[in-house]
Amino acid sequence: MKKLLIALTALPLMACTQTGNVERGALSGAALGAAAGAIIGNNTGSGDAETGAIIGGIVGAAGGAYAGCRADGGCRWNQNNPQHSEQYWDPQARQYYYFNRQDGCTYWVNGQFRGC
């Protein structure tokens, strides 16, 4: 149970965005995943609810953080996302980037923050 509490405490520190969607998604995903994992872990195999909660919390947090990132439009560039502009070439960095219309910042096509 201590491992789960440590993981849940560290989640807000690992996912920092301007809108908070990633943090909210990670925390709610971790909570739901931990609850589901505890139930499944308790009812299957050796009946280890703690391990099930830890695994479920980690998987839920990752899924929730990704969903929040998609809601922000800050994940990988997607031509179907109306918040993303066309790709632009940065000759110094030799990489493509895009402008996110929602937050006014630019991001590399892999989703990493470039600047505002």
Side-chain angles (χ1 to χ4, degrees), residues 1 5 7 11 14 18 22 33 45 47 66 80 83 85 94 99-100 103 105 110-112:
M1 193 62 165
L5 293 175
L11 285 174
M14 293 186 294
Q18 294 175 350
V22 174
Y66 182 73
N80 298 323
Q83 300 303 327
S85 69
R94 296 182 181 181
F99 175 77
N100 187 325
D103 63 9
C105 297
N110 66 0
Q112 287 183 321

Side-chain angles (χ1 to χ4, degrees), residues 70-93:
R70 296 294 295 182
D72 286 346
C75 294
R76 295 180 77 80
W77 182 79
N78 181 350
Q79 66 183 6
N80 298 323
N81 187 331
Q83 300 303 327
H84 294 179
S85 69
E86 296 294 319
Q87 291 183 10
Y88 300 101
W89 178 253
D90 183 335
Q92 290 180 332

Side-chain angles (χ1 to χ4, degrees), residues 27-38:
L27 290 175
S28 61
L32 292 172

Side-chain angles (χ1 to χ4, degrees), residues 12-31:
L13 302 175
M14 293 186 294
C16 296
T17 63
Q18 294 175 350
T19 63
N21 287 336
V22 174
E23 293 91 342
R24 280 191 295 275
L27 290 175
S28 61

